[in-house]
Amino acid sequence: MQHFTLVTKQLSLAIDFSQYFSDHGCFVDTVEHPSDCATKIQQKNSSALFWDLSSFPWEASQPELTKLREQFKLPITLIGASKPFIAAFAAGIDDVLTLPLDFETTFARLQQRMRLYQPTTSPSSQQPIPNHKIILDDVTIDRQKYKAFKHGQDLGLTPKELKLLIYLVEQRPRVLSRQQLLAGVWGDIYDISQTSRMVDMHISHLRDKIEPNPKQPTRIKTVRGFGYHFVGNCQEI
């Protein structure tokens, strides 16, 4: 899963970012203090940085952004500007977005800028292509297509259901609490209304689609009083 870092104090903005990126199979890690930004990028191996100017204006943020630009090779986008300005581009900022954000356009622009940071290599020096399929007996998860199939038929998992399934598989056999699943799948910041009932509902929907017998699950098991874990067969190819 790709991680992106968002520097903001605006809870509503963090939730909107987390929701849209989560639906596209990505995590948004929110930082409320600029001094913690470099550590978060390193810890999460972030693919890009978003900086909220409404929380941290350009004049005060420029020294920190200059350091981050020198330290990391990744797209840096400023959001919340009243209008694009030349000073940001002169400082090495990749993009400046005005409000309100169109997340579909924002995500597309991000993908384009990320491609510019991908190293150009010769065929002889290219790294092996990473595994992109997960086989769970009769269920296949295709990471590239971001779909799950059973006996070749699309299971019709929602983006959130698929992300939850992949997260459980990647964390196997670790038992995850509902709070850990909320943080891992819905993001570091999530709406207080998103309670454990929402996790239980998504688990139930997943079992209906991937379990041979949803009433007696053999893949996603419940640990009473704590949470869930994945215990089924798994092979990555």
Side-chain angles (χ1 to χ4, degrees), residues 108-172:
R109 290 167 71 119
L110 173 63
Q111 297 300 309
Q112 189 275 334
R113 276 156 181 76
M114 286 174 57
R115 285 194 289 271
L116 298 177
Y117 281 85
Q118 292 176 352
T120 302
T121 57
S122 62
S124 60
S125 63
Q126 288 179 349
Q127 296 297 315
I129 298 174
N131 297 335
H132 70 273
K133 287 187 178 181
I134 303 173
I135 309 298
L136 314 174
D137 291 328
D138 56 350
V139 173
T140 299
I141 301 170
D142 191 317
R143 295 178 186 267
Q144 291 183 342
K145 295 180 179 178
Y146 209 65
K147 291 180 178 293
F149 302 87
K150 189 171 185 177
H151 301 304
Q153 298 295 316
D154 187 352
L155 285 170
L157 297 185
T158 66
K160 199 71 72 181
E161 289 170 353
L162 185 58
K163 187 173 182 180
L164 176 59
L165 176 59
I166 292 174
Y167 190 71
L168 284 165
V169 170
E170 288 179 340
Q171 297 293 322
R172 70 186 188 281

Side-chain angles (χ1 to χ4, degrees), residues 89-121:
F89 296 116
I93 301 302
D94 295 275
D95 204 358
V96 179
L97 302 178
T98 58
L99 295 174
L101 287 179
D102 179 332
F103 278 98
E104 184 175 0
T105 301
T106 298
F107 195 77
R109 290 167 71 119
L110 173 63
Q111 297 300 309
Q112 189 275 334
R113 276 156 181 76
M114 286 174 57
R115 285 194 289 271
L116 298 177
Y117 281 85
Q118 292 176 352
T120 302
T121 57

Side-chain angles (χ1 to χ4, degrees), residues 9-30:
K9 289 182 178 179
Q10 305 296 327
L11 179 59
S12 60
L13 181 65
I15 291 172
D16 289 343
F17 256 89
S18 181
Q19 182 65 56
Y20 187 88
F21 278 68
S22 177
D23 288 344
H24 288 75
C26 308
F27 287 110
V28 174
D29 303 298
T30 302

Side-chain angles (χ1 to χ4, degrees), residues 207-237:
R207 285 171 168 167
D208 287 340
K209 295 175 181 179
I210 73 165
E211 293 281 4
N213 182 356
K215 294 187 181 299
Q216 295 181 335
T218 57
R219 292 169 174 166
I220 302 176
K221 304 285 285 185
T222 300
V223 178
R224 292 192 179 278
F226 191 78
Y228 302 95
H229 65 150
F230 185 88
V231 297
N233 294 327
C234 177
Q235 177 186 7
E236 296 194 38
I237 61 174

